[in-house]
Amino acid sequence: METPTVEPGEILFLSRDDVTNAASADECLERVEETFRWVSDDQVQQTNPVEIWLSKRGGEFGYGNVSSYPAYIEPLGVAGNKWLGVFQQNAKRGLPALSAVNILSDAETAMPLAFIEGQSVTAMRTAGHAGVGAKYLAREDSSTLTIVGCGHEGRTHLRVMDALFDLDHVKACDIDDDVRTTFIDEMSDVTDATIEGFVDSQEAVRGADIICMVTTAEDPIVMAEWIEPGTHVAATNGFLDLDPTFSAAADKWVIGVESRDRLWIDGEEVGVTAPEGLSYDDVYAELTDVVSGKASGRESADERTVMVHMGMPALDVAASHFVYERAKKEGIGTKLTLFE
């Protein structure tokens, strides 16, 4: 297909369908891992998100905010920003909990390149960094995967874990019968593993080698004592839906570089993605150090491990650029004229 030529004053618009047609989460996995290495090698500039709060926890629709996530990635020659909107209980209004738009700019000229639907990119890179964590922290022979939360991120997490491990059994857990059934029907065409549905999370995590927590729950639904020796947990939602005592009980708790600020502050106000009581003293290492070899990953078959990564601007920009390049190659997207 002919590659779209984007001239100065034009940008490439990519809708959600465009993004999913251009690339999948498992195809983006290598780019995500590269980004962690670039961060470790100081080839990335990024800042903590700038947030505007719209609602705090305890409101009718949970916490809500809009925030900006800028980054410059030197090896890609691109800068970008994700404009993220969050309302944790938006499902009550028939709306997704997350909405986002991503903008890419050429780092040489600062001219805009693309305007991209960001929720699909977020799901892609979120599954990607969960996959990178599992690559280093889960057992290589992992064959049973539990997905707790059968939404869009549950789907991308399954794709990534299926690409990394020889799965034969997937446990899909969701309290909504229709959501769970639809997930099983759709994903059975994606994986060769047998998919079994569960309502009870304790039953779902029993015997799991890898557990992916991808829910919108604001209280723990998986407890530390349910997590068996040798299991790795990808805690995408921090310690909201996962028992916070597992932060200390796990043999290794690995965090993203951003989590020190976004997950908690010792002895002070705690972020929305964690309850009180978490301590940096319980952290084993940051994921960039594990990926770069500065810290070891899994060292024994019986270790219980957990990786918490709340996302960082560099991942959104790197994943968006990956999608942008794939879209140009495949002739996907719509050119928009900003000025002539």
Side-chain angles (χ1 to χ4, degrees):
M1 195 173 291
E2 185 178 350
T3 301
T5 301
V6 182
E7 302 292 342
E10 296 179 337
I11 62 171
L12 186 64
F13 171 77
L14 298 176
S15 68
R16 180 173 301 177
D17 285 345
D18 292 334
V19 172
T20 55
N21 288 332
S24 62
D26 52 306
E27 292 172 328
C28 193
L29 186 60
E30 183 177 349
R31 171 60 59 86
V32 172
E33 185 168 358
E34 285 178 328
T35 305
F36 282 112
R37 297 186 191 280
W38 292 332
V39 171
S40 180
D41 293 340
D42 294 325
Q43 293 181 286
V44 169
Q45 293 182 43
Q46 58 184 338
T47 66
N48 289 331
V50 177
E51 299 178 324
I52 298 175
W53 284 95
L54 309 175
S55 175
K56 295 292 187 178
R57 286 187 68 182
E60 181 181 0
F61 300 104
Y63 67 81
N65 64 24
V66 289
S67 50
S68 175
Y69 293 74
Y72 164 47
I73 303 178
E74 184 177 344
L76 297 178
V78 68
N81 184 58
K82 176 170 79 171
W83 180 251
L84 174 67
V86 176
F87 248 106
Q88 191 69 4
Q89 297 300 328
N90 248 356
K92 296 177 181 178
R93 295 187 269 211
L95 297 171
L98 301 178
S99 62
V101 290
N102 297 356
I103 298 174
L104 293 180
S105 297
D106 185 295
E108 184 175 349
T109 65
M111 294 296 295
L113 298 172
F115 185 87
I116 304 172
E117 192 281 320
Q119 186 180 359
S120 51
V121 177
T122 296
M124 186 183 300
R125 64 88 171 147
T126 300
H129 62 63
V132 172
K135 176 180 177 179
Y136 290 92
L137 295 169
R139 298 197 322 270
E140 291 184 6
D141 63 351
S142 294
S143 61
T144 298
L145 169 70
T146 294
I147 300 287
V148 185
C150 295
H152 188 44
E153 290 196 352
R155 287 165 169 77
T156 54
H157 277 66
L158 173 51
R159 283 182 177 272
V160 165
M161 298 305 172
D162 197 38
L164 286 171
F165 301 95
D166 186 14
L167 300 179
D168 57 36
H169 189 194
V170 175
K171 297 182 173 186
C173 179
D174 202 290
I175 58 175
D176 188 306
D177 292 341
D178 291 338
V179 169
R180 185 177 62 255
T181 300
T182 300
F183 178 91
I184 294 172
D185 290 344
E186 289 182 7
M187 300 311 291
S188 292
D189 293 332
V190 174
T191 178
D192 292 330
T194 299
I195 307 181
E196 183 181 5
F198 290 83
V199 177
D200 183 81
S201 56
Q202 184 173 4
E203 289 293 324
V205 302
R206 182 173 291 124
D209 300 313
I210 301 171
I211 301 169
C212 294
M213 302 296 299
V214 282
T215 81
T216 58
E218 295 189 15
D219 296 296
I221 58 174
V222 170
M223 308 309 294
E225 60 267 25
W226 302 347
I227 301 169
E228 299 173 6
T231 300
H232 171 66
V233 182
T236 299
N237 202 26
F239 288 96
L240 284 182
D241 54 4
L242 177 64
D243 183 355
T245 66
F246 193 59
S247 63
D251 295 288
K252 286 188 172 76
W253 174 20
V254 174
I255 65 171
V257 294
E258 82 304 324
S259 295
R260 214 177 308 189
D261 295 317
R262 295 185 58 204
L263 189 61
W264 79 94
I265 304 173
D266 281 332
E268 297 181 16
E269 183 180 355
V270 177
V272 296
T273 49
E276 303 231 12
L278 300 185
S279 173
Y280 190 71
D281 293 339
D282 295 320
V283 173
Y284 166 70
E286 293 182 355
L287 185 57
T288 50
D289 292 333
V290 175
V291 170
S292 65
K294 297 175 184 177
S296 299
R298 176 171 288 271
E299 296 178 282
S300 74
D302 291 336
E303 281 184 320
R304 296 193 303 169
T305 58
V306 59
M307 199 275 285
V308 174
H309 196 296
M310 306 313 299
M312 60 183 176
L315 288 178
D316 291 294
V317 174
S320 293
H321 184 264
F322 178 81
V323 170
Y324 169 71
E325 291 294 327
R326 289 287 294 269
K328 287 201 302 178
K329 181 178 179 181
E330 299 297 329
I332 296 171
T334 304
K335 289 194 298 182
L336 301 178
T337 300
L338 296 180
F339 60 87
E340 296 180 354

